[in-house]
Amino acid sequence: MPDVKFFYGDNLPLEMHKARIVQKLELKPIGQRAQAMAGAGYNTFLLNNSDVFIDMLTDSGTNAMSDRQQAAMMWADDAYAGSETFVRLEKMLKRVFGKSYFLPAHQGRACESIISQVFVEEGSVVPMNYHFTTSKAHIVLNGGRIEELLIEEGLDVESEHPFKGNMDVQKLESLICELGADRIPFVRLEAGTNLIGGQPFSLENLRAVGRLCRAHGILIVMDASLLADNLYLIKRREAACAEMTIEEITRAVAEECDIIYFSARKLGCARGGGMCLDDGDLYLKMRELIPLYEGFLTYGGMSVREMEALTVGLEETMDEDMIGQGPEFTAYMVDALKDRGVPVVVPAGGLGCHVDARRFLDHIPQEESPAGALAAAFFIVSGVRGMERGTMSEQRDADGSENPAHMELLRLALPRRVFTVSQLGYVMDRLQWLFDNRDLVGGLRFVEEPEILRFFFGKLEPVSDWPERLAAKYSEDFRDSL
Ligand SMILES: *Cc1c(COP(=O)(O)O)cnc(C)c1O
């Protein structure tokens, strides 16, 4: 039995907030959903939200704001330079991470662009626990390449390892010996490792990576976009940290890192992003690029209202009652689906529930995008929008050959404090139906394929008339009009 208060009964998560503003949802009939999916080229990114019932595409910019965040937006101080709003945000970040300097940016990938431009050059190699789409793209764009040094269990969807986001320290040591520290501008560690199912690293692992990097004079850059979930999971799963407060864990994590960057669309439940660091020389180098690409130093592309919401959001992230809401709702969903035999990534991480499309649709070959097909099929039968996180989300190699992803996942993101337990119940019910009828789902192939980050705009078509057959069966079972 968990020792935290936001549970009741048989481990059901309890909302530690109430809804005071609501948004009406519409569940369109299956015929219209199937049509909308076809119109969107079977890519859930291209759906209109008006056709979506429950939007689990992402947690990016879709988390619920608190009353205090909304109120703070009203007292934002509009100024191009030197606004009070910026001073408040800077102070809060100093309190949370204990770093001397803060550079604002319009969102997470802007930080990745700046860090890559400053540190990565032709021939650079950036070791990391695992890549994120935009972080890899920026490193490659600047002439570098990445080396993923995740522990073996990290890629095993069925492994119950509590810290699947850990880096293999021995592999990192070998790589440093092989290449020499000069080729390695920094080691990137991603908190709540997104593409492998929101999986955390442990403080112990981070400290081991830190010792090794310091011994070789290599910087550690942490992608803290999904840090909140990682902090909570450290507290729950790492015995040595069980008695620490979230603030203490945050400081201990931050101490190991030279640069911390984040997307405030996730961390802090607001918009925007930024970078925190202690080194004055690095700060000056990175600072030059902010006015060029982002905006003046006291807003960096963020509106003052976003910055106020972020300041309060960061403070609320440190709230022990609040920080567990995301990961505990995710755990509830992951555990329940696992009990029903639906293949999901275990143990539950942050961010959302990740359905293992390879096992779910084991009759669809990887070339026909099982994860993309599952995302499309699930939208048709439920109105729930998830996101493909598999081969479609990878880029082709320089010679044009496919780069098969390690995992084929349908991600059902749980924006923080947005959906209720009964809405999760609906999602699981429809997913179960689809699992029982999985033979009806077929593959997809590209008809329009952009070269960079193709998953955003790419269009696909079904390899057969399977969407029609799937919709017909659903319509029969649920008396939903075609
Ligand atoms: C979302 C995300 C980013 C990019 O942030 P944006 O604000 O969307 O640009 C970078 N890294 C991770 C781990 C993310 O989840």
Side-chain angles (χ1 to χ4, degrees), residues 107-133:
Q107 62 184 84
R109 68 200 67 185
C111 305
E112 292 170 335
S113 163
I114 286 164
I115 291 168
S116 298
Q117 286 185 62
V118 169
F119 296 105
V120 176
E121 52 187 33
E122 208 60 49
S124 293
V125 178
V126 180
M128 53 183 67
N129 49 350
Y130 204 69
H131 77 284
F132 182 69
T133 52

Short mmCIF file of all heavy atoms in Angstrom, two decimals, residues 107-133:
data_model
loop_
_atom_site.label_atom_id
_atom_site.label_comp_id
_atom_site.label_asym_id
_atom_site.label_seq_id
_atom_site.Cartn_x
_atom_site.Cartn_y
_atom_site.Cartn_z
N GLN A 107 11.12 27.90 -26.46
CA GLN A 107 10.70 26.58 -26.00
C GLN A 107 11.90 25.65 -25.94
O GLN A 107 13.02 26.07 -26.21
CB GLN A 107 9.53 26.02 -26.81
CG GLN A 107 9.77 25.77 -28.29
CD GLN A 107 8.48 25.31 -28.98
OE1 GLN A 107 7.67 26.14 -29.37
NE2 GLN A 107 8.30 24.00 -29.15
N GLY A 108 11.68 24.37 -25.60
CA GLY A 108 12.80 23.46 -25.35
C GLY A 108 13.75 23.31 -26.52
O GLY A 108 14.97 23.34 -26.36
N ARG A 109 13.20 23.16 -27.72
CA ARG A 109 14.08 22.91 -28.88
C ARG A 109 14.95 24.12 -29.19
O ARG A 109 15.99 23.98 -29.83
CB ARG A 109 13.24 22.49 -30.08
CG ARG A 109 12.36 23.55 -30.66
CD ARG A 109 11.26 22.95 -31.48
NE ARG A 109 10.31 22.19 -30.65
CZ ARG A 109 9.30 21.48 -31.13
NH1 ARG A 109 9.10 21.40 -32.43
NH2 ARG A 109 8.49 20.84 -30.32
N ALA A 110 14.53 25.30 -28.79
CA ALA A 110 15.36 26.50 -29.00
C ALA A 110 16.62 26.38 -28.13
O ALA A 110 17.72 26.77 -28.54
CB ALA A 110 14.57 27.75 -28.64
N CYS A 111 16.47 25.84 -26.92
CA CYS A 111 17.64 25.60 -26.06
C CYS A 111 18.56 24.59 -26.74
O CYS A 111 19.79 24.74 -26.73
CB CYS A 111 17.21 25.03 -24.71
SG CYS A 111 15.99 26.03 -23.85
N GLU A 112 17.97 23.57 -27.34
CA GLU A 112 18.77 22.54 -28.02
C GLU A 112 19.52 23.14 -29.20
O GLU A 112 20.68 22.79 -29.45
CB GLU A 112 17.85 21.40 -28.49
CG GLU A 112 17.27 20.63 -27.31
CD GLU A 112 16.17 19.64 -27.68
OE1 GLU A 112 15.50 19.84 -28.73
OE2 GLU A 112 15.97 18.68 -26.91
N SER A 113 18.88 24.04 -29.90
CA SER A 113 19.52 24.70 -31.02
C SER A 113 20.72 25.52 -30.53
O SER A 113 21.82 25.44 -31.08
CB SER A 113 18.51 25.60 -31.74
OG SER A 113 19.17 26.52 -32.56
N ILE A 114 20.53 26.27 -29.47
CA ILE A 114 21.60 27.13 -28.96
C ILE A 114 22.75 26.30 -28.38
O ILE A 114 23.93 26.53 -28.69
CB ILE A 114 21.02 28.12 -27.92
CG1 ILE A 114 20.22 29.19 -28.67
CG2 ILE A 114 22.13 28.76 -27.07
CD1 ILE A 114 19.29 29.99 -27.81
N ILE A 115 22.43 25.30 -27.59
CA ILE A 115 23.47 24.45 -27.00
C ILE A 115 24.26 23.74 -28.12
O ILE A 115 25.48 23.66 -28.08
CB ILE A 115 22.85 23.44 -26.01
CG1 ILE A 115 22.33 24.19 -24.77
CG2 ILE A 115 23.85 22.37 -25.60
CD1 ILE A 115 21.45 23.37 -23.85
N SER A 116 23.55 23.26 -29.14
CA SER A 116 24.24 22.56 -30.23
C SER A 116 25.11 23.52 -31.02
O SER A 116 26.23 23.19 -31.39
CB SER A 116 23.22 21.88 -31.16
OG SER A 116 22.49 20.91 -30.45
N GLN A 117 24.61 24.73 -31.28
CA GLN A 117 25.42 25.70 -32.04
C GLN A 117 26.68 26.08 -31.29
O GLN A 117 27.73 26.30 -31.87
CB GLN A 117 24.60 26.95 -32.34
CG GLN A 117 23.56 26.76 -33.41
CD GLN A 117 22.87 28.06 -33.75
OE1 GLN A 117 23.50 29.01 -34.20
NE2 GLN A 117 21.57 28.11 -33.51
N VAL A 118 26.59 26.18 -29.97
CA VAL A 118 27.74 26.63 -29.19
C VAL A 118 28.75 25.49 -28.99
O VAL A 118 29.96 25.70 -29.05
CB VAL A 118 27.28 27.17 -27.81
CG1 VAL A 118 28.47 27.40 -26.87
CG2 VAL A 118 26.51 28.48 -28.00
N PHE A 119 28.28 24.27 -28.78
CA PHE A 119 29.20 23.21 -28.35
C PHE A 119 29.51 22.14 -29.41
O PHE A 119 30.53 21.47 -29.34
CB PHE A 119 28.64 22.50 -27.11
CG PHE A 119 28.55 23.40 -25.91
CD1 PHE A 119 27.32 23.89 -25.49
CD2 PHE A 119 29.69 23.76 -25.22
CE1 PHE A 119 27.23 24.74 -24.39
CE2 PHE A 119 29.61 24.60 -24.12
CZ PHE A 119 28.38 25.09 -23.71
N VAL A 120 28.60 21.94 -30.38
CA VAL A 120 28.78 20.83 -31.32
C VAL A 120 29.46 21.32 -32.58
O VAL A 120 29.11 22.38 -33.10
CB VAL A 120 27.40 20.20 -31.66
CG1 VAL A 120 27.56 19.10 -32.71
CG2 VAL A 120 26.75 19.64 -30.40
N GLU A 121 30.45 20.57 -33.06
CA GLU A 121 31.06 20.90 -34.35
C GLU A 121 31.22 19.62 -35.17
O GLU A 121 30.94 18.53 -34.68
CB GLU A 121 32.40 21.60 -34.14
CG GLU A 121 33.33 20.84 -33.22
CD GLU A 121 34.60 21.59 -32.86
OE1 GLU A 121 34.56 22.83 -32.76
OE2 GLU A 121 35.63 20.92 -32.69
N GLU A 122 31.69 19.79 -36.40
CA GLU A 122 31.90 18.65 -37.28
C GLU A 122 32.73 17.59 -36.55
O GLU A 122 33.80 17.91 -36.03
CB GLU A 122 32.65 19.15 -38.54
CG GLU A 122 32.40 18.35 -39.80
CD GLU A 122 30.94 18.32 -40.24
OE1 GLU A 122 30.28 19.38 -40.31
OE2 GLU A 122 30.47 17.20 -40.51
N GLY A 123 32.24 16.36 -36.47
CA GLY A 123 33.01 15.29 -35.83
C GLY A 123 32.72 15.11 -34.34
O GLY A 123 33.20 14.16 -33.72
N SER A 124 31.94 16.01 -33.75
CA SER A 124 31.60 15.86 -32.33
C SER A 124 30.73 14.62 -32.11
O SER A 124 29.92 14.26 -32.97
CB SER A 124 30.79 17.06 -31.83
OG SER A 124 31.54 18.23 -31.82
N VAL A 125 30.90 14.01 -30.96
CA VAL A 125 30.04 12.91 -30.57
C VAL A 125 29.40 13.25 -29.23
O VAL A 125 30.09 13.63 -28.28
CB VAL A 125 30.84 11.59 -30.44
CG1 VAL A 125 29.94 10.46 -29.98
CG2 VAL A 125 31.52 11.25 -31.76
N VAL A 126 28.07 13.17 -29.17
CA VAL A 126 27.37 13.48 -27.93
C VAL A 126 26.76 12.20 -27.36
O VAL A 126 25.77 11.69 -27.88
CB VAL A 126 26.26 14.54 -28.15
CG1 VAL A 126 25.55 14.84 -26.83
CG2 VAL A 126 26.84 15.81 -28.74
N PRO A 127 27.36 11.67 -26.28
CA PRO A 127 26.77 10.50 -25.64
C PRO A 127 25.52 10.92 -24.85
O PRO A 127 25.47 12.03 -24.32
CB PRO A 127 27.85 10.02 -24.66
CG PRO A 127 29.06 10.84 -24.95
CD PRO A 127 28.59 12.10 -25.60
N MET A 128 24.54 10.05 -24.82
CA MET A 128 23.32 10.37 -24.07
C MET A 128 22.65 9.08 -23.63
O MET A 128 22.96 8.02 -24.17
CB MET A 128 22.38 11.20 -24.95
CG MET A 128 22.06 10.63 -26.30
SD MET A 128 21.01 11.75 -27.28
CE MET A 128 22.10 13.13 -27.59
N ASN A 129 21.78 9.18 -22.63
CA ASN A 129 21.05 7.96 -22.26
C ASN A 129 20.17 7.54 -23.43
O ASN A 129 20.17 6.40 -23.85
CB ASN A 129 20.28 8.12 -20.95
CG ASN A 129 19.42 9.36 -20.85
OD1 ASN A 129 19.49 10.27 -21.69
ND2 ASN A 129 18.61 9.43 -19.82
N TYR A 130 19.41 8.49 -24.00
CA TYR A 130 18.61 8.19 -25.18
C TYR A 130 18.28 9.51 -25.86
O TYR A 130 18.23 10.55 -25.22
CB TYR A 130 17.33 7.43 -24.81
CG TYR A 130 16.78 6.61 -25.96
CD1 TYR A 130 17.45 5.49 -26.42
CD2 TYR A 130 15.60 6.98 -26.60
CE1 TYR A 130 16.97 4.75 -27.48
CE2 TYR A 130 15.10 6.23 -27.66
CZ TYR A 130 15.79 5.11 -28.10
OH TYR A 130 15.31 4.38 -29.16
N HIS A 131 18.02 9.44 -27.19
CA HIS A 131 17.78 10.69 -27.91
C HIS A 131 16.32 11.12 -27.76
O HIS A 131 15.44 10.34 -27.45
CB HIS A 131 18.11 10.52 -29.39
CG HIS A 131 17.07 9.77 -30.18
ND1 HIS A 131 16.91 8.40 -30.12
CD2 HIS A 131 16.12 10.22 -31.03
CE1 HIS A 131 15.91 8.03 -30.91
NE2 HIS A 131 15.40 9.12 -31.48
N PHE A 132 16.10 12.41 -27.98
CA PHE A 132 14.76 12.92 -28.23
C PHE A 132 14.79 13.46 -29.66
O PHE A 132 15.84 13.89 -30.14
CB PHE A 132 14.37 13.99 -27.22
CG PHE A 132 12.97 14.50 -27.44
CD1 PHE A 132 11.89 13.67 -27.19
CD2 PHE A 132 12.74 15.76 -27.95
CE1 PHE A 132 10.59 14.11 -27.44
CE2 PHE A 132 11.45 16.20 -28.20
CZ PHE A 132 10.37 15.38 -27.94
N THR A 133 13.65 13.46 -30.35
CA THR A 133 13.61 13.82 -31.77
C THR A 133 14.34 15.13 -32.07
O THR A 133 15.26 15.17 -32.88
CB THR A 133 12.15 13.94 -32.26
OG1 THR A 133 11.44 14.81 -31.37
CG2 THR A 133 11.46 12.58 -32.27
#
